[in-house]
Amino acid sequence: AKSSEGTSSFKAPTPDSPIRICWNENPLGMSPKAQAVARETVAQGNRYPFESTGILQKLIADDYGLSPDHVLLTAGATEGIRAAIEALAAPDIQLVCPALTFDSAEENAKVNGITKITKVPMLKDWGIDLPAMKKAVADYDGPSVVYFVNPNNPTGAICKADEVEAWIKSKPAKTIFLMDEAYAEFADDKNFRSCSPLLTAGADNIILLKTFSKLFAMAGMRVGWAVSTPEMIGKLREKTASNALNFPAVKAAIASWQDKEFIKLSQVSNKTSREILLQALHALKLEYVPSNTNFIFHKVAVPLAEYQKQMKAAGILVGRAFPPADDYCRVSLGTPEEMTYVAKTMLELRKKGLV
Ligand code: PLP
């Protein structure tokens, strides 16, 4: 049945079936080709996925112009972050990261006995303070691992490629750059570039972390990858359970990687949703950080906990608190139909003074 929004698939949310825009998931669902092959592969669940895992690893490596020993498949980027931190952990190592970023590197550093964690305060516009990150590395005598999410989560902001690349190319002593580009394919700021060409050119101070969770809408399948030198990849591999990925997920990843139509749809849909939310933010005069991701970090005019409560009552789950940005909300981008509903709800809440 057609809903009032005029699309056949959109249904107004209910408390049991809310609009889930709190975890930076891709609302489209997996590529139909990936879904079909994952379903078929369940019937082969008795088999180890050795051959397909090799195919996926080679597909990815080919894309970077590198041999497969530069690539490690992981259970999401989460496992890649963990393996990298565990591989690099040493009593004297420093983790440098922006004060407001994905917290997985920091959490893993703590459980691996890394006591020197330098969190660099954000710029006023919630951008990453690159000179201060550089200083934190330069001021420390021991080895550093720099965790750099670009574009960043939860802010959605990019760091300019020219500046990031110049720092990496300057090869600061005893420093490894852990480059998390989970959201890179959603970036359209021309100052953003992936660091991957540096890896293709032979850089030995980068571990690039990637995921099938965002662009490819495969968060529940748990597939990611890391790219680095064969030596570094070998060290990361020692920190993972070998052969950990499941057969349907690997097959779905192969199909998704090759489904150019879905990739385009994923990017176009995200952009449309971003525009819809931006229009609402403009109408409500709420400040936001320009987004290069599948979420927008925007100010709220009432305490976040109150805003979350009101949105939840309207069937919409928005992001959690991200201190120190206490008056900001991170809203992931749902489908355009969902975001139209979200925008309408926000405007209604404003009339009641609740946003
Ligand atoms: N890195 C960043 C910056 C993220 O935001 C996320 C998840 O939201 C991840 C890594 C982990 O993603 P996954 O383990 O699903 O690949």
Side-chain angles (χ1 to χ4, degrees):
K2 286 205 166 193
S3 76
S4 56
E5 274 68 29
T7 61
S8 51
S9 59
F10 181 81
K11 289 193 191 75
T14 62
D16 288 341
S17 178
I19 295 179
R20 234 165 85 140
I21 45 175
C22 47
W23 286 304
N24 297 348
E25 296 162 332
N26 187 323
L28 295 177
M30 291 202 305
S31 133
K33 288 176 185 155
Q35 292 193 30
V37 78
R39 261 188 227 104
E40 278 166 27
T41 310
V42 168
Q44 296 158 49
N46 56 319
R47 301 297 177 192
Y48 286 113
F50 302 130
E51 193 187 345
S52 298
T53 303
I55 290 170
L56 179 60
Q57 186 187 13
K58 183 164 179 349
L59 268 180
I60 293 173
D62 284 350
D63 205 57
Y64 295 100
L66 293 167
S67 54
D69 54 356
H70 288 78
V71 172
L72 176 69
L73 297 177
T74 55
T78 300
E79 191 189 25
I81 297 169
R82 180 185 174 134
I85 295 289
E86 283 192 15
L88 297 168
D92 62 340
I93 204 162
Q94 164 184 230
L95 173 72
V96 176
C97 58
L100 194 51
T101 197
F102 192 58
D103 58 8
S104 185
E106 185 187 345
E107 295 307 317
N108 280 295
K110 284 182 192 157
V111 298
N112 281 287
I114 296 177
T115 51
K116 174 87 177 145
I117 298 177
T118 305
K119 295 172 77 169
V120 176
M122 309 304 288
L123 296 170
K124 278 212 173 63
D125 63 0
W126 299 110
I128 291 174
D129 188 345
L130 205 73
M133 300 268 289
K134 278 182 173 174
K135 188 167 180 316
V137 170
D139 287 352
Y140 186 65
D141 282 340
S144 290
V145 49
V146 179
Y147 179 59
F148 213 124
V149 181
N150 199 19
N152 196 16
N153 177 17
T155 62
I158 61 139
C159 231
K160 287 185 180 158
D162 286 349
E163 291 169 22
V164 179
E165 286 172 12
W167 187 21
I168 296 173
K169 282 185 187 165
S170 75
K171 292 197 137 220
K174 298 182 278 188
T175 302
I176 296 290
F177 292 91
L178 202 51
M179 304 300 291
D180 183 334
E181 294 186 358
Y183 301 99
E185 294 81 5
F186 296 122
D188 39 34
D189 186 322
K190 58 186 182 323
N191 290 308
F192 175 82
R193 281 190 303 275
S194 168
C195 70
S196 68
L198 303 186
L199 282 160
T200 304
D204 61 1
N205 58 348
I206 302 174
I207 301 170
L208 171 62
L209 300 164
K210 294 289 295 173
T211 181
F212 278 89
S213 297
K214 311 297 177 181
L215 176 72
F216 298 106
M218 283 184 44
M221 301 297 267
R222 315 304 304 130
V223 187
W225 70 96
V227 191
S228 190
T229 60
E231 295 71 31
M232 185 64 82
I233 287 297
K235 288 185 194 164
L236 263 62
R237 184 176 291 112
E238 287 172 10
K239 302 296 180 186
T240 60
S242 59
N243 199 23
L245 301 191
N246 73 76
F247 205 172
V250 172
K251 289 286 245 184
I254 293 171
S256 299
W257 188 266
Q258 295 171 322
D259 190 347
K260 303 295 175 219
E261 205 182 317
F262 181 80
I263 292 171
K264 191 81 215 151
L265 172 69
S266 185
Q267 290 170 315
V268 169
S269 169
N270 187 67
K271 211 168 168 163
T272 306
S273 291
R274 191 150 67 192
E275 286 309 316
I276 294 166
L277 184 55
L278 286 177
Q279 269 187 23
L281 293 172
H282 281 280
L284 294 165
K285 296 196 168 45
L286 292 173
E287 280 175 41
Y288 59 88
V289 181
S291 163
N292 278 278
T293 55
N294 65 346
F295 53 88
I296 299 182
F297 201 51
H298 72 82
K299 225 173 188 169
V300 278
V302 294
L304 179 62
E306 178 63 22
Y307 181 62
Q308 287 169 322
K309 198 174 118 195
Q310 295 298 335
M311 290 295 266
K312 193 172 177 189
I316 300 166
L317 304 180
V318 296
R320 64 175 173 86
F322 288 98
D326 296 322
D327 52 352
Y328 274 74
C329 181
R330 189 193 70 185
V331 173
S332 313
L333 298 169
T335 62
E337 291 80 10
E338 285 175 331
M339 296 322 285
T340 302
Y341 191 90
V342 169
K344 194 180 81 183
T345 305
M346 290 171 78
L347 295 168
E348 280 165 8
L349 288 181
R350 171 58 64 85
K351 279 187 214 146
K352 299 183 207 156
L354 295 170
V355 58

